[in-house]
Amino acid sequence: MPIFAVHYTYSEATLANRDIHRGDHRGWLFGLVDAGTLLSSGPYPDGSGALLIFRAEDEAALKDLLTQDPFARAGLVDAVRTVEWLPVMGAFAS
C-alpha cells in the first residue's frame, strides 16, 4: 500500500482554536495509528504546520480521510499538501 507524506500549514490566526481542538485532533490521529493507517505524525517546532505519514489505497482515499480530521472540520488547517512517498531505507522502507 502506498505511503504518503502530508504537510499541514497553520497560521498564527488559528493558534487559539488549535489549542481548543488539539485533544480531539490527537485522539483521531491515535485511532489511525491503532488502525495502521497513520505511521507517524508531529508538528513543526516553529508552529508553521505538521508532517503526517500515512498508508492509503490512493491519494483520493487519503484526501477523503483528511476531511475527517477535527482540525480540518474546524477550519484550522490553512493548506494541505499530499505527496506519495517511496522510502528506500529506514523505518518506513519495505
Side-chain angles (χ1 to χ4, degrees), residues 1-82:
M1 188 174 311
I3 295 177
F4 293 87
V6 175
H7 301 268
Y8 278 2
T9 301
Y10 304 139
S11 68
E12 197 65 30
T14 63
L15 180 60
N17 283 332
R18 279 186 279 127
D19 288 343
I20 292 167
H21 294 278
R22 185 165 284 113
D24 291 338
H25 168 71
R26 288 195 175 162
W28 180 76
L29 293 173
F30 279 121
L32 295 175
V33 168
D34 289 344
T37 304
L38 180 64
L39 302 176
S40 190
S41 173
Y44 300 131
D46 67 1
S48 66
L51 174 65
L52 305 92
I53 307 295
F54 284 92
R55 285 192 194 279
E57 289 294 326
D58 55 37
E59 190 170 7
L62 176 60
K63 287 183 175 184
D64 184 54
L65 177 67
L66 293 174
T67 66
Q68 300 171 33
D69 184 340
F71 272 11
R73 288 178 178 235
L76 303 176
V77 181
D78 294 305
V80 178
R81 179 175 179 241
T82 60

